[in-house]
C-alpha cells in the first residue's frame, strides 16, 4: 500500500502481509495520536482480543513529533520522540493482538487543516482494503482541535465511498472531554468489565506520556470505573467499567446531513433534560 507520507507504515504483529492483515479487519479505530486508541477504543480491542472472526485495526494520523516530554525523555529531540512514540504504538498493537497498526505520520497541523485532503485520501484507500464493519473515531464535542480534525476527515473519507462500501456503524469516542453529559438515550456504552489487566497493560506501554507527568493510565481506568458506577442511580453496578460513544452513523448514512447542527441537537437534548428536571422539582 502506498500512502501520501513516505514514512507512513503498517505494522502487523503476527507477520501476515499488510494487505492480508488489513483485509481481515472488522473493527477499525482512527485516532489523532499514539495512545488515543488505547484510551478510547478499549471496547473493540477487548471485543476482538483472541477471536478468529473479529479483528481490530488501529490507525494513528499524526507523527508524535510535537509530543510533550519530561523526565527520562526531557532532552529527546522531535525525531527521537517520533521514534519512541511509534515504538510504543507498535508495542500496544502486540499486546492487544491487533490485525494491523497503521501510522500515517502527518504533522498535527495537517490533521487539523480542513482544506488538506491528504489524510482523507489515505483513509479512503485503507477503508477500501479493510472494509471494517464498525469504525471508531473521536467524538465531535472533544476539546482538542486535532481530535475533531481527524473525526471530520474520517467522516469525509466515509462519505466519499459508495454506500455499500461504508461501515454499518460510526462511533465518536471519549478522550479530551468525556460523554457523561449526553442524555442516556444518546449514549452508546461499551462494557469494559472484563480484561481489566489487559486494558491496564495497553495504557501502560505509553511510558513517554505517562512519565511526562500525565497519568493517562490511572485516569482512563478511573473514568471507566466512574462511568460504570454513575450510569444508574438506582440499583447495583452491573458493570465495573464503561466507556461512552456518540453515534455518528447518521452522518455517513445521510451524506448531506450538516455536521454542526447534528452535534447541536445532541447538546440541545442535554440542555432540555436539565431544564425539564429543574421545572419538575422546582
Ligand atoms: Zn490525542
Amino acid at each position: 500500500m502506498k500512502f501520501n507520507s513516505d514514512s507512513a507504515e503498517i505494522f502487523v504483529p503476527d507477520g501476515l502481509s499488510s494487505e492480508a492483515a488489513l483485509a481481515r479487519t472488522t473493527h477499525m479505530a482512527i485516532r489523532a495520536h499514539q495512545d488515543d486508541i488505547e484510551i478510547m477504543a478499549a471496547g473493540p480491542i477487548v471485543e476482538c482480543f483472541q477471536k478468529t472472526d473479529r479483528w481490530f485495526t488501529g490507525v494513528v494520523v499524526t507523527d508524535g513529533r510535537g509530543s510533550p516530554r519530561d523526565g527520562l525523555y526531557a532532552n529527546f529531540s522531535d525525531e527521537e520522540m517520533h521514534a519512541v512514540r511509534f515504538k510504543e504504538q507498535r508495542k500496544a498493537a502486540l499486546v492487544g493482538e491487533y490485525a494491523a497498526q497503521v501510522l500515517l505520520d502527518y504533522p498535527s497541523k495537517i490533521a487539523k487543516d480542513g482544506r488538506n485532503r491528504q489524510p482523507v485520501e489515505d483513509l479512503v484507500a485503507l477503508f477500501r482494503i479493510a472494509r471494517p464493519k464498525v469504525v471508531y473515531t473521536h467524538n465531535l464535542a472533544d476539546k482538542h482541535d486535532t481530535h475533531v480534525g481527524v473525526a471530520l476527515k474520517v467522516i469525509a473519507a466515509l462519505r466519499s465511498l459508495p454506500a455499500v462500501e461504508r461501515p454499518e456503524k460510526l462511533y465518536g469516542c471519549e478522550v479530551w472531554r468525556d460523554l457523561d453529559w449526553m442524555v442516556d438515550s444518546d449514549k452508546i456504552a461499551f462494557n469494559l468489565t472484563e480484561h481489566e489487566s489487559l486494558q491496564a497493560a495497553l495504557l501502560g506501554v505509553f511510558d513517554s506520556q505517562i512519565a511526562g507527568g500525565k497519568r493517562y493510565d490511572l485516569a482512563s481506568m478511573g473514568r471507566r470505573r466512574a462511568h460504570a458506577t454513575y450510569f444508574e442511580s438506582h440499583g447495583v453496578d452491573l458493570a465495573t467499567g464503561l466507556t461512552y460513544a456518540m453515534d455518528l452513523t447518521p452522518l455517513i448514512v445521510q451524506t448531506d446531513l450538516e455536521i454542526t447542527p447534528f452535534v447541536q441537537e445532541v447538546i440541545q437534548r442535554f440542555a432540555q433534560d436539565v431544564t425539564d428536571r429543574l421545572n419538575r422539582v422546582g
Side-chain angles (χ1 to χ4, degrees):
M1 262 201 92
K2 190 85 185 78
F3 297 111
N4 281 311
S5 169
D6 289 338
S7 50
E9 70 167 57
I10 302 175
F11 173 67
V12 181
D14 64 2
L16 213 62
S17 74
S18 54
E19 299 238 344
L22 286 170
R24 63 187 165 177
T25 304
T26 52
H27 297 59
M28 180 184 269
I30 299 136
R31 305 297 197 226
H33 305 107
Q34 295 77 15
D35 78 4
D36 284 336
I37 289 173
E38 291 68 26
I39 292 171
M40 41 190 298
I45 295 172
V46 167
E47 190 184 333
C48 296
F49 189 71
Q50 290 274 326
K51 304 282 183 2
T52 52
D53 61 340
R54 276 172 250 179
W55 286 93
F56 177 85
T57 289
V59 181
V60 175
V61 174
T62 67
D63 59 13
R65 284 185 175 80
S67 305
R69 61 208 74 174
D70 203 357
L72 171 66
Y73 310 91
N75 297 317
F76 275 38
S77 66
D78 279 357
E79 274 323 299
E80 288 170 318
M81 228 29 223
H82 171 261
V84 164
R85 299 219 64 191
F86 269 46
K87 190 159 69 176
E88 289 173 341
Q89 189 61 61
R90 292 185 207 108
K91 275 188 222 171
L94 277 166
V95 171
E97 299 181 6
Y98 302 174
Q101 173 62 57
V102 182
L103 292 141
L104 293 177
D105 208 24
Y106 285 102
S108 59
K109 68 173 187 297
I110 288 183
K112 57 190 172 191
D113 177 359
R115 287 160 304 178
N116 191 311
R117 297 273 306 170
Q118 288 188 332
V120 176
E121 292 163 9
D122 288 347
L123 291 173
V124 167
L126 277 169
F127 288 138
R128 287 224 139 109
I129 293 179
R131 300 288 294 266
K133 283 192 173 62
V134 192
V135 171
Y136 307 80
T137 187
H138 296 281
N139 83 76
L140 295 170
D142 192 286
K143 64 177 176 180
H144 195 309
D145 285 3
T146 316
H147 289 186
V148 176
V150 164
L152 293 175
K153 291 194 188 307
V154 169
I155 293 166
L158 291 172
R159 283 180 160 185
S160 76
L161 295 171
V164 292
E165 291 184 28
R166 290 180 213 140
E168 291 164 17
K169 293 287 177 190
L170 174 65
Y171 294 127
C173 313
E174 314 166 288
V175 181
W176 286 102
R177 189 174 281 148
D178 73 26
L179 293 171
D180 181 64
W181 57 270
M182 292 197 304
V183 295
D184 287 350
S185 54
D186 277 339
K187 287 183 180 111
I188 303 294
F190 299 101
N191 189 336
L192 287 169
T193 302
E194 304 292 330
H195 299 292
E196 227 176 59
S197 64
L198 175 69
Q199 298 173 45
L202 286 163
L203 293 161
V205 301
F206 294 94
D207 184 66
S208 72
Q209 299 308 289
I210 294 167
K214 299 288 279 182
R215 294 305 304 266
Y216 294 117
D217 53 340
L218 300 180
S220 300
M221 295 305 285
R223 178 189 273 171
R224 290 169 200 174
R225 179 61 66 112
H227 280 348
T229 295
Y230 287 108
F231 183 58
E232 177 63 73
S233 60
H234 305 290
V236 296
D237 297 351
L238 297 174
T240 54
L242 286 181
T243 57
Y244 298 137
M246 186 183 281
D247 189 356
L248 306 179
T249 311
L251 293 170
I252 57 163
V253 171
Q254 196 186 330
T255 54
D256 60 350
L257 192 61
E258 281 190 71
I259 293 173
T260 306
F262 174 83
V263 181
Q264 284 298 331
E265 280 178 27
V266 181
I267 296 168
Q268 278 311 311
R269 285 192 286 276
F270 167 62
Q272 192 62 49
D273 182 73
V274 173
T275 302
D276 289 349
R277 185 165 296 97
L278 284 167
N279 290 341
R280 195 163 63 238
V281 302

